[in-house]
Each structure stands twice: as C-alpha cells, then as structure tokens.
Amino acid sequence: MPATQKPMRYGHTEGHTDVCFDDSGSCIVTCGSDGDVRIWEDLDDDDPKSINVGEKAYSCALKNEKLVTALSNNTIQVHTFPEGVPDGILTRFTTNANHVIFNGDGARIAAGASDFIVKVVEVMDSSQQKTFRGHDAPVLSLSFDPQDVFLASASCDGSVRVWQISDQTCAISWPLLQKCNDVINAKSICRLAWQPKHGKLLAIPVEKSVKFYRRETWSNQFDLSDNFISEALNIVTWSPCGQYLAAGSINGSIIVWNVETKECLERVKHERGYAICGLAWHPTCGQIAYTDAEGYLGLLENVCDLSGKKPSAKESSRVEKDYSDLFDGDDASNAGDFLNDNAVETPPFTKGILNDGEDDDDLMLTSSRHRQKSHILEDDENSVDVTLLKTGSGLLKEDEDDDRADNIRSLPLVTSQKPFYDGPMPTPRQKPFQSGSTPLHLTHRFMVWNSVGIIRCYNDEQDNAIDVEFHDTSIHHATHLANTLNYTVAALSHEAILLACESTDELASKLHCLHFSSWDSSKEWIVDMPADEDIEAICLGQGWAAAATGASLLRLFTIGGVQKEVFSLPGPVVSMAGHGEQLFMVYHRGTGFDGDQCLGVQLLELGRKKKQVLLGDSLPLSKKSYLTWVGFSAEGTPCYVDSEGIVRMLNRALGNVWTPVCDTREHCKGKSDHYWVVGIHENAQQLRCIPCKGSRFPPTLPRPAVAILPFKLPYCQMDTEKGLMEEQFWSSILFHNYLDYLAKNNYEYEENIKNEAVREQEVLLIKMFALSCTVEREFRCVELADLMTQNALSLAIKYASRSRKLILAQRLNELAMEKAAELASIQEEDEEEEDFRKKPNADNCNTASEWSQPMLRNQVEEEDRENSEEADEVEENTERRQNPFSKSANTSDVPANKSGAITSNNQGRTNPFKVSASPKELAVSANKGHSTNILDNINKSSKKSTALNRSANNEKSPVIKPLIPKPKSKQASAASYFQKKPSQPDKADDIKEENLKISSPETPAVTPQNTESSRPRTGFQMWLEENRNKILSDNPDFSEEADIIKEGMLRFRVLSTEERKAWTNKAKGGAAGDGGDARKRRHPGDDKEAASQPAAAEEDLDAPRKRRPADLSANQKLSAFAFKQE
C-alpha cells in the first residue's frame, strides 16, 4: 500500500529547521530559524505549544523528557519536556552550534559547531566532557553508534570521520563530500545515521546515492540509489526496526528503501520542491515527519508495515471460512468489533490509520489483520469445537482437547455475539463557541472581535484581566476590567458589554452586563443562573441580550436587566449572534456521520411583532467541516463561515436559502493558512478578516492586521465575459436584497444606493443583451429582457431594431405590452386599496385603524393644499413633499399645477393617463393606435406614483418612514400630454359624460378623452411649443415626440427659478384670457399645427436659453452605450 502524504503546514519562518519525535511518538517537535521550538500533537494541531529558546535554533533532540537545542548563541541548552522550562546550558562553543543528538539511552549528547570541534557531554553532569579535534571546517552532522563505541561526524572539509569515543581518536576518515567554507554554502548537510540495534551499517548520503559502510571493517558494502533522485541527498534516517531507510534530497524528494532487499518502496515528492533538512521516523509505526528549508512541516503515513509477518493467504482464508460457518453465513470475518474498545488493543500504527480516515479499504484490511493475530481462543469451559457444531454434537469431550487444540487456536476469539457495525461512523459533536473568539486554553486570547471593537483576556501569573477596545472611540473609551470571576465568553455591541462565566463548586454561572450607554448612574447588572446550568453562548441586540445554557434553554433579557421570555432550544447550542431585532441561533439537530456535523438554525425577530423567520432548517456545511463563525453583515443579513473557508449568506429573495458568497481558501497561499473572519459588508461587497499563517486564529500580540477579501459567487465559466457579467449581475441583486428588507420593516436608507444598484444592473443586462445579439442568441435576448426594467427594455428594443433583428424587436414589443398590462393591473389594485384606506369608519369600525390614521390626517392636509391658488405655494409644497430618496427629487424642478398633467399630489384620484380600465382594453388600444413604438403608450406612473404619495403623506407620521421606490417621472407625464390620441367613436363620448357624472366632486376622475379639454397648459408646455423648432434644429435625428420632450425637459430644468415662474404665470394668464371654450374646441390634429408654427414666435419671448447641461441622465448614458452615439 503506498504511503499517504498529508498536506504540509507552516511551522517556522524561512530557514533551516529540524524535527524529531518524543519517546512514545505522541508528539512531533520542531525547531527553526525563528528561535522557537514547537510541540505538535499531530499535523492537524492548530495550536502547537511554542517554546522560545533563542534567536535561532539549528537542531533539536528529545530523550527522557529532556529537550536539547543547538542555538545561534554558541550554546547547547536543555529544557524540560513538555513544560519547556529552561534546565541549564550543557556546553558552549566559540561559534554557532550546528547539530546535537542523544545517544541510545539519553545519558549523553554529542554536538558539533562551526569552530571545527565535536563534543560529547554527560547530560546529568555537564562537567564530564570529551572533545574531538581533527576537522578542518565547520561540523555538519553527527551520529552515535547504538553501542556507544563510535561517533560519526561529517564536515565542510569534505570528510566523514568515525571517532573512538573512549580514547577520542579517529578510527577512519573518508573524503566523500564536496568541500566548502561554511554550513550555509554546503551543497548537502549530510545527516548520516547508524543502523539501529546493533549498528552494523553506517549510512552516508553522498550526492545522489546512499553509501553503506560496515562496522569495524569500514568497507563500503553497497550503495542505494534510484532514478527518482535528481538532486543531491541531504539527510537519511533509519526505521526503528533497522530494516528500512528513508532519505531526503535538496529538491524535496523522499525515498524509502528496504535495505535487506535493496528495493525502493516509496517515492514521494515535496509539494513545493523545497529542500528536506529534517527527517524523523516514528518510534513505533510507519510515520515519517519531515521539515524543509522554508519552515514547513509534513508527514508521511502508512509508509511500510513495521509489525512483522503478514498472515498467509491460506491461513487467512481457512480462518474466514470456519468463522463464517460458525455464524451461519453472517459476515463475521471482521468480528473484532470496532464498537468494543477492549476487544483489541490497537497498535499505534493502526491508530494512525484510524485517525486519517482516508482509506477505508486499507483500514479494514489492517484492522482485521491485527485482530486475527490477537484473538486466540483459550481453553475454558465454554470452548466449542466447530466440527461438533456442524454435526449437532454437544460440548467437547476431555479426551479430544489435545487432538483439536491446533484447530481451536487458529480461530478468532468469540467472547460475545454482538452485531458488528460497518456503517458510517458518528461524528463527535462540535462544542459551543463564541464567534470572533480564540481557543479558551490560551493565556492571551481574543474573547470577541467584531465590527464594534475587541475584547482581550489575559490570564497569566502577572495578571488576570480583560481589556475592551472600541474601533470608534466616540462610542466609548477603552476599558480595563478585572477578571476575578474568570469570564470565558463575551459579546460587544454599541450599547453594552456582556460577559459570562462557568459555574464552580462555590459559585453559580453568572451573566454580567456593562450597559455603558445607559443614561442613569447604574450601568452594571449581574444575574445568577440556576444550579447546574452553565452559560454556553451569549449575544447582544438592539435593546436586548440573550444567553443559551447547557440545559438547552435560551433566556432573553432587556439591556437594562429585565428578564423576558425563556424557551427551550431544539438541541444543544453551538453559537449565537444578534443584530438589531434579529436573533440567529445554531444548534445540533442530530448526530452527524462520516465527519459531517448535523446543525440546525433558528432566526427570530424580537421586535414588537415577534416572529420566527427560520425554524429548524438544516444549516448546510462543506463536507467534513464544522462551523467557525456566525454573525450578521453590517446591513443585517445572517451569514456564517465553515472550517473549509466557505462564507454563506441568507438569500431572502429566494425563500431564505443560503448562498455561498466567498471561498477564503482561494486567497490562502499555503494549505495550512486560513482567514479569521471579523466582519462582512454587503454594500461594499467586502469580507473583513485576518490572515493567519499556519494557524486558524491570530495571536493577540503583535496586533494582527485586517485584510479585505472580495465576494465572488461560484458561477461557471468565470473566465469568459458572459460568466463574469452574470456573476456581477446576480451579485448586485443578492447584495442589495437588504434594501428590500429594510423597506419592508420601515427602516430608512439612502435612496441613491438603490438607484445606483438598479443602474448597475441595467448596464449589465444591456451588455449581456448586446453580447447575446452578437452571437445570434435571440431567445436568450428575450430571457434577459424579461429581467429588465421598462427603461432598459426600451433601449433593448431600439438596439434590436437598429441591429436589423426585426423578429427579436417584435418579441420585445410584445414583452413590453405584457409588462404594461401587468403594471396597469397592479395600479388598479393599489388605487382600490388606497380608496379603501381613505374611507373613514368603514362598516362597524368606530375608529380608524392604526395604519390608516396617518393617511386620514395627511388627506386633510392635501385638501388644504389643493385649495391654494398661488402657483408659488403649489411649487413649494411639491418640492417639500417629494420623496428624499427618489431620483426625481434631486433632478426635477418643474412646477406643479393643481390640475395639470404633472401633478404629483393626486392621491385618491384615478390615473389621468390610463388608456383603459382593464389590461385587455389597454393592449387593444395600444395595437390600434398610430404610435410607431408600443413604449410610447406605456405609463410609468402606476404603483410608483401611488407609493410616492403614501410616503409624502406619512412624512409627519411618528412611525419610521418606509422606503418607497422612485415615483413616476415628470417626463412620462409630459409625454402623455403631447402624445397623439386616436380617434374614438361616439360611444366613448357617452362614457366620458357618464364618468363625469359618477365621479366624486372631491376627487374628480379625469379620463384620457377629456384630459386635454379640462386641464390648463403648464409653463413647460408653453415653453416647449415656443422652442420646439430650436430643439429639432439642434437634434435632427429626433423622430419621436418622446425624444423632443426629453430634451425639452433637460433644457427647461436648467432655467432659473424666476424664468420658470415667469412661464408658469404666463401659462396661468393665458389660460384665464383664452377661457375654456377654445380648449374644448381643440382637436387631436391641432398638435400638428402647434408643432409647425414659425420660429418667429420665439422672438416675442424674452426667456433666455441655456446650453445643454453637462451632466447626462441615466437614459442618455445607457443609450450612448447601446447605440454608441457620437
């Protein structure tokens, strides 16, 4: 079975490293150029113990709980293991010590340095030293003879020497290596090794082969090499049994030979090709730990079988056959019973395979092999012969014991008939944790790090305290707290600090809140939990605090300390988070299998109307991962991160599903690097996190730097323009869903954020539409058009027409008509709903409901405004009541007439621009009209206009103002005024008269037929009639009335306020002088005459003209993109 190479992880800074195992093989010990010695429980240990021994550590050795290191300060130091307490200096050199080793029993050490000297020192009495002189250059490496008779050394002078330890003489010297003047210039560090046990052979790495010299005769017995070796070998090490030899090269190759058969068993290549400078074989099993010159630590598992002989195939099949017959065909060949821990004492080699969990077939094979060797029947009163069982015989007779002893001893042990479970193994449950915190066992740790601030905990011999630091010091100043109660979890918000501690024999678990935003003098409160109930997770929201306990209870408190609801959790809590009125809880909803966690989620809203958004839904995680962070984005969307670095966010617009938005592993340079999340921002599409090299969490000192990662949805074909634009479009949709949530819950936000998002989405859709047109994907074009707004859809129709795709243009026209009909239907429903809201005391309601009171109050205000006769006041009221988040509020200065087509305060009236009452009639009239484009008949007001009036009427309401989509633009209203009207039959006049009679005097209904004859002209309309020829001369490509009106609106807006008032007054004066009879006699054909008036009429007006504004509208920008206007 080939060896398993586990992913390497960062251990030390760049430079020379060394590695060794402890006596039992339970720990891996490494040292490096950073001066630290790290103790790893295994390769997956995210928090290895670190011992600082000096500025640089070149070598380390471990024996009998004594850790010795060769340091750059010219000394060999001793530390206790695993405590790491300094235990003195064994010896000193005049330059750097390069290598240190223990002898077989750990009684003495040998060390070599760059001053050409080798020393052997007694560990218990460092005064007992022996010095070996003879090398002419720095010493590279040393190796003790297992019998403590010889000591081998390699040097930069190119020689390998064998010393007689007793008389300190050189027994033999071989000029094998390339000469150099220092260790750093050596091509190979030549870490040689004696064969264990008897020390018959000395293995020396020389160039691309390993030379073996026989003890005492010092003759070269043989060499081992392989074609896999392309660079010089750096180090060799023997297996504990002395049968196998492993070698590492300077380009990262690791080779394992069977020395007896001279067969190459393993060939492994380093992930990055770095030089192997540390190599150690596990003392009891087939594991090899190795380090490289860049500070990384790696591990090879399952290198070879160190347990000895394998059972023959014949014996194995016979045992399996007899054992199967014993249980009537049941699969009992694996009856060693994994579930019974005492059945087999698993050797360390098997444990390593069990922990790896990557090769189930090899696992079963190896385990069954050990069980066959261990489970041997002993003669007792319950022993049963297999042959007698088959023939129906009873117990064994005493005289047959000796005859059947051999057969009985070959069978596996059957102590009980427990069923063997070979299904998926359950996963241990993840322990509760606090998001933004580091492990509890650290003396210096982060209790929480979030977007508000940082809470650190120091628990050492000098101090046991908590430091609180705020990112924004205007919230609160930094605080230092004494941690006398040993608080273990913490939460931080803009209002308070929340701490909790576990219970002890004397004290109960406590919840401690420091309400620093309180306006009174008492800013702290403490609550004791009931007996045997420990707090496991806490969080803070706006005005509330929550604590989850070990009794699967969740306790709610006000921020001032009042106890609120208490309810049971569906399972043991894992973590919690709070934001505003939202409470996000994750718990164990069951037992996971095969390394997966089975987690559930609850999302509650704790406002005045409490409700559950998510109840018991499964929390999706990556395969074989666990939860590492739970929280909210800065905008209030629930998010979480798993151990594989996948960030997921709640997609409210798609039925509350979880969408992966970022993979932090894509940004990690090494496999052992991770990112520690501290915050998420949707609007900026940023993930704020801390890079951790070689660990999953950062240290407290030095203060870690925060990095910003971009979001990236996992869409396909991201290397193409199509895939990239699709990802950008849906990212914009997803990361602006929070705006709809805020609007739904009556929170205010900046309308320009919504406008920018819509504009960005329109641009992306137009680009994808153009790309699809280019590749002749017209069906895809229609699919994209279905996602567009009316504004973008009109541009798409023009683009298709000018691209000579007439069928596509017709399809888009039909789609536009369907959207217009749907819009009209929605408008009708909204008007009916608004009429109902304005109707006071309906049926048996004696008082207006809470939601209708602001409407009734504002209705009176609106009627008062309508009674005003001053145009200035009307214009001023209109500007004041416009939605501050609306796009048109910032760009439109057109004065409003109380009965004109551009009036925005028409709440409760029917739409004066609506063609028909039903969608069908609208579509029919649109088809029969003389307009060249269906979009000319699309009314943009409808629901948006109604929603604007609701927002304006609620301006003085005490409730939080809802966020409303932008209202109907004045451009669309003006376009409807100048739009040509098709001739109607006489029946339409009768309907008009009936509608006039039925309509209420308070809110007169205005139909499209009588709009022109009943309303006076506005100042803009008069100005446009006077300046039409000028606009047409400046823009000869204008062929549609809507384009002329659009350009006129832009020019009219840049006029000064006095000029616009002058035109308004002129329009009012003209209306009073002409009377209503002239307007009643107007016909649809009169518009042509007005359009063809001579330009001499412009000379009678003194209104100044201004050039076209430099700031283009969104329509012009999109048009410029679609048609590439020059």
Side-chain angles (χ1 to χ4, degrees):
M1 182 174 60
T4 302
Q5 185 179 15
K6 302 194 71 173
M8 299 192 69
R9 63 174 305 155
Y10 180 84
H12 299 274
T13 57
E14 180 182 356
H16 180 79
T17 55
D18 200 4
V19 63
C20 63
F21 284 92
D22 67 340
D23 296 337
S24 63
S26 60
C27 295
I28 303 173
V29 180
T30 61
C31 68
S33 298
D34 52 8
D36 290 337
V37 173
R38 290 191 170 88
I39 304 172
W40 311 74
E41 294 181 0
D42 53 49
L43 194 64
D44 297 327
D45 186 6
D46 288 329
D47 185 26
K49 184 175 181 179
S50 183
I51 305 170
N52 186 265
V53 295
E55 183 179 356
K56 289 184 178 181
Y58 294 118
S59 179
C60 63
L62 180 60
K63 204 83 169 181
N64 300 335
E65 298 181 353
K66 296 288 185 180
L67 175 65
V68 296
T69 51
L71 306 177
S72 59
N73 62 356
N74 312 338
T75 62
I76 303 295
Q77 293 187 3
V78 184
H79 290 76
T80 61
F81 184 87
E83 295 80 12
V85 178
D87 199 18
I89 297 175
L90 287 181
T91 186
R92 296 178 183 271
F93 296 91
T94 57
T95 57
N96 297 337
N98 298 326
H99 197 204
V100 62
I101 57 170
F102 270 105
N103 68 341
D105 58 7
R108 59 177 70 173
I109 61 102
S114 294
D115 58 0
F116 315 162
I117 294 177
V118 177
K119 291 185 180 181
V120 175
V121 184
E122 297 291 333
V123 175
M124 302 307 296
D125 185 6
S126 60
S127 61
Q128 301 294 324
Q129 298 187 9
K130 293 182 178 181
T131 303
F132 300 83
R133 303 178 185 271
H135 283 297
D136 299 324
V139 178
L140 292 172
S141 64
L142 301 168
S143 179
F144 263 114
D145 170 30
Q147 298 182 10
D148 274 358
V149 177
F150 300 104
L151 176 68
S153 64
S155 172
C156 290
D157 60 5
S159 67
V160 176
R161 294 173 178 259
V162 178
W163 306 87
Q164 189 89 23
I165 298 179
S166 57
D167 56 5
Q168 306 174 32
T169 60
C170 179
I172 188 71
S173 177
W174 300 290
L176 301 176
L177 309 178
Q178 187 175 354
K179 294 183 180 181
C180 59
N181 58 359
D182 200 356
V183 178
I184 59 175
N185 298 324
K187 184 176 182 180
S188 168
I189 58 175
C190 191
R191 289 290 165 88
L192 39 76
W194 287 91
Q195 187 178 20
K197 297 182 180 178
H198 304 292
K200 293 181 179 180
L201 297 173
L202 174 63
I204 306 173
V206 179
E207 294 296 333
K208 300 179 182 180
S209 64
V210 181
K211 294 184 176 295
F212 292 84
Y213 291 85
R214 190 171 184 82
R215 180 191 182 88
E216 296 182 348
T217 64
W218 312 123
S219 61
N220 184 10
Q221 295 294 304
F222 55 92
D223 295 345
L224 289 179
S225 185
D226 191 81
N227 295 331
F228 184 72
I229 304 173
S230 58
E231 295 288 343
L233 297 176
N234 216 25
I235 182 172
V236 296
T237 183
W238 290 84
S239 65
C241 64
Q243 184 179 357
Y244 307 99
L245 181 80
S249 70
I250 61 176
N251 68 340
S253 301
I254 299 177
I255 305 94
V256 180
W257 291 279
N258 185 327
V259 179
E260 294 181 0
T261 62
K262 300 181 180 60
E263 179 185 2
C264 183
L265 303 179
E266 301 289 350
R267 300 176 181 88
V268 179
K269 185 69 177 177
H270 189 285
E271 295 175 359
R272 299 175 176 84
Y274 298 152
I276 305 296
C277 55
L279 201 62
W281 207 301
H282 194 282
T284 58
C285 72
Q287 289 185 351
I288 296 178
Y290 60 96
T291 57
D292 59 34
E294 296 294 324
Y296 285 85
L297 170 65
L299 189 66
L300 295 180
E301 292 188 339
N302 202 24
V303 177
C304 57
D305 183 15
L306 302 182
S307 59
K309 299 180 181 179
K310 296 182 181 179
S312 64
K314 181 178 179 181
E315 178 184 357
S316 177
S317 61
R318 177 169 56 84
V319 171
E320 181 176 356
K321 178 178 182 301
D322 292 342
Y323 198 47
S324 300
D325 293 340
L326 180 64
F327 282 93
D328 297 330
D330 292 339
D331 184 11
S333 60
N334 294 329
D337 194 358
F338 276 118
L339 302 180
N340 186 1
D341 295 335
N342 298 325
V344 182
E345 181 179 356
T346 307
F349 183 44
T350 306
K351 291 180 180 178
I353 300 175
L354 286 172
N355 292 335
D356 184 63
E358 294 180 356
D359 197 337
D360 295 338
D361 296 335
D362 297 330
L363 168 63
M364 299 299 296
L365 177 63
T366 307
S367 303
S368 61
R369 181 195 311 135
H370 289 289
R371 288 195 297 272
Q372 290 169 5
K373 295 181 60 178
S374 303
H375 290 183
I376 306 300
L377 272 176
E378 300 293 339
D379 290 342
D380 56 21
E381 58 185 5
N382 295 324
S383 298
V384 180
D385 181 52
V386 177
T387 307
L388 293 179
L389 282 175
K390 292 180 179 179
T391 57
S393 301
L395 297 175
L396 286 174
K397 298 179 181 180
E398 295 181 359
D399 56 347
E400 295 178 345
D401 289 344
D402 295 336
D403 296 335
R404 305 188 181 276
D406 294 337
N407 292 334
I408 294 175
R409 296 180 190 277
S410 66
L411 296 177
L413 175 64
V414 183
T415 57
S416 63
Q417 296 186 8
K418 295 181 180 179
F420 175 73
Y421 177 73
D422 60 351
M425 300 302 294
T427 304
R429 287 183 174 179
Q430 181 180 356
K431 295 181 180 179
F433 72 95
Q434 198 74 12
S435 292
S437 65
T438 51
L440 188 62
H441 64 271
L442 299 176
T443 55
H444 293 186
R445 58 182 289 259
F446 292 111
M447 298 184 75
V448 67
W449 185 324
N450 59 19
S451 59
V452 179
I454 306 171
I455 300 181
R456 297 182 183 86
C457 178
Y458 304 93
N459 188 6
D460 49 27
E461 297 177 356
Q462 289 79 18
D463 193 13
N464 186 5
I466 294 174
D467 286 341
V468 183
E469 173 187 345
F470 293 88
H471 300 315
D472 185 1
T473 54
S474 63
I475 299 176
H476 197 267
H477 58 79
T479 305
H480 182 81
L481 307 172
N483 192 14
T484 56
L485 295 176
N486 291 323
Y487 294 115
T488 55
V489 292
L492 181 64
S493 72
H494 292 88
E495 295 179 317
I497 302 169
L498 194 64
L499 304 169
C501 64
E502 298 177 349
S503 62
T504 61
D505 295 337
E506 297 82 12
L507 300 175
S509 179
K510 298 180 182 295
L511 184 68
H512 184 187
C513 180
L514 287 80
H515 185 199
F516 54 78
S517 64
S518 175
W519 49 267
D520 63 359
S521 58
S522 301
K523 298 182 181 298
E524 295 187 33
W525 53 268
I526 298 179
V527 173
D528 290 348
M529 295 293 111
D532 300 328
E533 186 175 340
D534 285 341
I535 297 175
E536 295 182 339
I538 58 176
C539 68
L540 283 167
Q542 185 176 359
W544 56 269
T549 67
S552 294
L553 291 178
L554 190 132
R555 301 178 178 273
L556 293 175
F557 302 83
T558 65
I559 200 66
V562 179
Q563 297 188 62
K564 297 180 69 178
E565 293 86 354
V566 179
F567 58 91
S568 295
L569 294 173
V573 68
V574 178
S575 189
M576 292 196 313
H579 184 278
E581 297 177 348
Q582 300 179 85
L583 172 59
F584 184 25
M585 298 175 293
V586 180
Y587 59 90
H588 289 285
R589 67 194 300 261
T591 301
F593 289 89
D594 288 340
D596 296 328
Q597 297 288 331
C598 184
L599 303 181
V601 58
Q602 272 190 324
L603 180 61
L604 286 76
E605 293 186 358
L606 304 177
R608 293 185 178 274
K609 296 181 180 180
K610 298 178 176 61
K611 65 177 181 178
Q612 289 191 353
V613 181
L614 297 176
L615 176 60
D617 294 356
S618 177
L619 191 72
L621 295 174
S622 302
K623 189 175 182 181
K624 297 185 184 301
S625 67
Y626 53 89
L627 198 64
T628 57
W629 187 86
V630 171
F632 290 85
S633 67
E635 292 79 8
T637 303
C639 309
Y640 67 95
V641 186
D642 61 28
S643 57
E644 292 298 319
I646 304 298
V647 183
R648 292 178 176 86
M649 180 179 294
L650 186 67
N651 190 345
R652 302 182 193 268
L654 197 61
N656 292 327
V657 298
W658 298 97
T659 301
V661 297
C662 182
D663 184 3
T664 61
R665 299 294 301 168
E666 292 182 354
H667 304 273
C668 295
K669 296 181 179 179
K671 291 186 177 181
S672 59
D673 298 342
H674 297 86
Y675 280 94
W676 196 63
V677 177
V678 297
I680 294 176
H681 295 264
E682 290 181 79
N683 191 33
Q685 297 188 24
Q686 292 177 348
L687 177 68
R688 299 176 60 84
C689 50
I690 297 172
C692 304
K693 193 170 185 180
S695 178
R696 288 189 176 273
F697 48 84
T700 56
L701 293 174
R703 182 190 177 106
V706 178
I708 296 178
L709 299 182
F711 286 146
K712 180 182 178 182
L713 301 185
Y715 276 78
C716 304
Q717 298 179 335
M718 290 291 291
D719 55 340
T720 64
E721 186 179 5
K722 171 181 174 292
L724 185 61
M725 287 191 294
E726 288 172 344
E727 190 274 338
Q728 292 174 352
F729 173 76
W730 290 109
S731 293
S732 179
I733 294 289
L734 175 63
F735 297 123
H736 291 93
N737 282 340
Y738 75 93
L739 298 174
D740 297 331
Y741 173 78
L742 294 178
K744 181 181 177 182
N745 291 272
N746 298 331
Y747 291 108
E748 289 189 352
Y749 65 92
E750 297 181 7
E751 183 70 17
N752 61 345
I753 297 177
K754 181 76 172 179
N755 296 336
E756 289 295 332
V758 173
R759 189 176 299 111
E760 176 189 5
Q761 294 160 18
E762 287 180 345
V763 171
L764 289 169
L765 284 173
I766 289 293
K767 287 183 178 180
M768 288 189 285
F769 181 88
L771 181 62
S772 299
C773 285
T774 304
V775 297
E776 302 295 334
R777 293 282 186 177
E778 296 188 4
F779 188 88
R780 184 183 297 168
C781 291
V782 177
E783 292 176 329
L784 291 171
D786 192 34
L787 301 174
M788 295 181 183
T789 60
Q790 289 187 0
N791 183 29
L793 185 55
S794 64
L795 295 175
I797 294 174
K798 294 178 181 178
Y799 185 90
S801 300
R802 298 187 182 184
S803 300
R804 300 185 183 279
K805 299 183 181 298
L806 302 181
I807 298 178
L808 176 60
Q810 180 62 31
R811 292 277 186 180
L812 297 180
N813 267 334
E814 295 174 0
L815 180 62
M817 291 170 57
E818 293 175 3
K819 288 195 172 187
E822 182 181 356
L823 194 62
S825 176
I826 295 175
Q827 173 193 357
E828 193 172 299
E829 294 176 359
D830 289 348
E831 290 176 353
E832 292 177 358
E833 180 183 354
E834 188 154 338
D835 291 339
F836 171 74
R837 290 186 177 181
K838 293 176 64 176
K839 184 178 180 181
N841 302 329
D843 298 337
N844 57 350
C845 297
N846 294 326
T847 59
S849 60
E850 182 181 354
W851 55 266
S852 65
Q853 286 178 359
M855 291 293 182
L856 295 176
R857 180 171 59 253
N858 288 311
Q859 179 183 359
V860 177
E861 297 175 2
E862 182 184 354
E863 292 175 354
D864 293 340
R865 291 192 191 95
E866 291 181 352
N867 293 329
S868 175
E869 297 295 335
E870 296 294 330
D872 297 339
E873 294 180 5
V874 173
E875 180 180 3
E876 184 178 345
N877 291 337
T878 303
E879 294 176 354
R880 184 183 70 249
R881 289 171 52 79
Q882 282 180 338
N883 189 345
F885 307 112
S886 173
K887 173 183 175 183
S888 61
N890 299 328
T891 60
S892 178
D893 296 327
V894 181
N897 191 293
K898 63 180 181 179
S899 61
I902 315 177
T903 300
S904 61
N905 295 327
N906 57 352
Q907 180 177 357
R909 300 173 182 171
T910 58
N911 186 2
F913 315 115
K914 186 168 60 175
V915 177
S916 62
S918 65
K920 294 183 179 180
E921 294 176 1
L922 175 66
V924 172
S925 63
N927 290 329
K928 293 182 179 179
H930 299 286
S931 175
T932 58
N933 195 324
I934 185 60
L935 290 178
D936 294 336
N937 292 330
I938 295 177
N939 192 330
K940 293 186 178 180
S941 58
S942 69
K943 183 177 179 180
K944 297 184 179 180
S945 178
T946 306
L948 167 67
N949 297 326
R950 293 181 191 171
S951 176
N953 289 335
N954 285 331
E955 186 173 345
K956 298 181 180 180
S957 175
V959 299
I960 299 177
K961 179 162 51 178
L963 304 176
I964 304 301
K966 62 182 181 181
K968 165 191 172 182
S969 65
K970 298 180 180 179
Q971 171 190 333
S973 301
S976 65
Y977 179 85
F978 288 98
Q979 185 65 41
K980 296 181 180 180
K981 305 297 179 182
S983 59
Q984 301 291 340
D986 296 337
K987 187 177 180 180
D989 297 334
D990 300 336
I991 297 174
K992 175 186 66 175
E993 296 176 0
E994 293 179 1
N995 292 337
L996 290 174
K997 294 178 181 179
I998 297 174
S999 59
S1000 173
E1002 296 180 357
T1003 57
V1006 184
T1007 62
Q1009 291 81 358
N1010 64 5
T1011 298
E1012 295 181 1
S1013 60
S1014 63
R1015 63 190 181 192
R1017 290 192 300 175
T1018 62
F1020 167 70
Q1021 293 165 355
M1022 294 190 64
W1023 179 91
L1024 184 60
E1025 290 177 358
E1026 299 293 342
N1027 294 273
R1028 177 183 298 272
N1029 293 335
K1030 177 64 175 176
I1031 294 174
L1032 289 174
S1033 62
D1034 293 343
N1035 299 275
D1037 58 333
F1038 282 178
S1039 60
E1040 298 179 4
E1041 185 69 22
D1043 294 334
I1044 300 174
I1045 296 173
K1046 187 190 304 181
E1047 181 64 22
M1049 289 286 286
L1050 292 174
R1051 298 190 180 189
F1052 189 77
R1053 286 173 183 169
V1054 300
L1055 298 180
S1056 63
T1057 305
E1058 293 77 9
E1059 293 170 340
R1060 291 198 301 271
K1061 284 185 178 180
W1063 283 103
T1064 303
N1065 295 332
K1066 188 174 182 179
K1068 292 176 65 177
D1074 295 342
D1077 295 335
R1079 287 194 301 271
K1080 289 182 180 179
R1081 288 192 298 270
R1082 287 189 61 190
H1083 295 285
D1086 294 341
D1087 290 336
K1088 290 186 178 180
E1089 299 177 3
S1092 61
Q1093 287 180 355
E1098 299 180 9
E1099 301 175 358
D1100 299 334
L1101 302 176
D1102 298 329
R1105 298 192 186 98
K1106 293 188 178 180
R1107 60 184 178 87
R1108 184 183 303 180
D1111 187 14
L1112 299 179
S1113 66
N1115 288 338
Q1116 288 176 308
K1117 291 180 181 179
L1118 292 173
S1119 300
F1121 165 77
F1123 313 117
K1124 300 181 180 178
Q1125 293 179 354
E1126 297 180 356

